[in-house]
Amino acid sequence: MMKQSDPPIVVEKPLAATRVSVWQALTQLDQMHQWYFENLPDFKPEPGFKVRFPVRSETRTFTHRWTVMEVMEFKHIKVRWQYDEYPGDSTVTFSLVERNEHTHITVTCEILADFPEAIPEFERESCIGGWEYFLGRLQNYLSSI
């Protein structure tokens, strides 16, 4: 389970794209719809920006509540991540470093308050698998543009 006492979850991936291209895919709503959440109603890479939207699994709804916490353009963006239906609190930081014509992306998920134990989506392995899935989709999207 994802608990405050756990070390952060870190998932990394090299992407064959410029840091500017990756940043745009992370922060521009029309591009986010292509690889991330199709039903995301709005997004602005500005501290204090808030958005709320539902994501449904087979049996549950997770209404995401995001608040943009920090932005360093082309370097990192940190978002507070909570759900209407469940306790728990976390931040997700996307960090970008350009290396040898690639952009290395690191997603770091820090747990600020424990998530419920009885829900499979809140298992550490599920979180890691979810970020690996989304970074794979991001890679596929970037290679198609």
Side-chain angles (χ1 to χ4, degrees):
M1 298 301 138
M2 297 189 330
K3 299 201 170 295
Q4 185 179 7
S5 58
D6 292 341
I9 293 167
V10 179
V11 178
E12 303 175 79
K13 187 168 198 61
L15 301 169
T18 67
R19 190 164 50 176
V20 170
S21 296
V22 176
W23 181 260
Q24 290 171 340
L26 287 174
T27 61
Q28 292 182 0
L29 185 63
D30 60 328
Q31 292 193 48
M32 293 170 82
H33 286 162
Q34 301 302 310
W35 68 274
Y36 206 21
F37 291 103
E38 293 177 4
N39 66 330
L40 181 63
D42 196 10
F43 189 81
K44 291 182 179 45
E46 301 166 359
F49 174 80
K50 295 182 180 191
V51 67
R52 187 174 168 271
F53 63 101
V55 174
R56 289 173 182 79
S57 72
E58 292 174 12
T59 58
R60 286 180 274 284
T61 297
F62 297 85
T63 303
H64 291 56
R65 288 191 333 255
W66 292 355
T67 304
V68 176
M69 307 295 290
E70 297 174 16
V71 178
M72 282 189 73
E73 192 171 28
F74 306 117
K75 293 188 178 185
H76 83 258
I77 186 165
K78 184 176 189 174
V79 177
R80 187 170 181 185
W81 198 303
Q82 301 167 300
Y83 303 94
D84 282 354
E85 297 83 3
Y86 305 99
D89 193 358
S90 64
T91 61
V92 175
T93 305
F94 298 88
S95 302
L96 307 178
V97 176
E98 220 161 28
R99 291 186 193 144
N100 303 327
E101 300 177 18
H102 285 79
T103 299
H104 195 86
I105 187 169
T106 303
V107 178
T108 305
C109 178
E110 297 181 81
I111 308 305
L112 305 177
D114 294 358
F115 286 89
E117 290 191 26
I119 298 175
E121 289 87 347
F122 293 134
E123 291 180 9
R124 187 174 179 88
E125 295 75 21
S126 178
C127 183
I128 292 167
W131 286 117
E132 289 173 345
Y133 167 78
F134 277 119
L135 292 182
R137 285 181 51 102
L138 176 60
Q139 181 177 37
N140 291 341
Y141 169 70
L142 289 167
S143 66
S144 73
I145 58 173

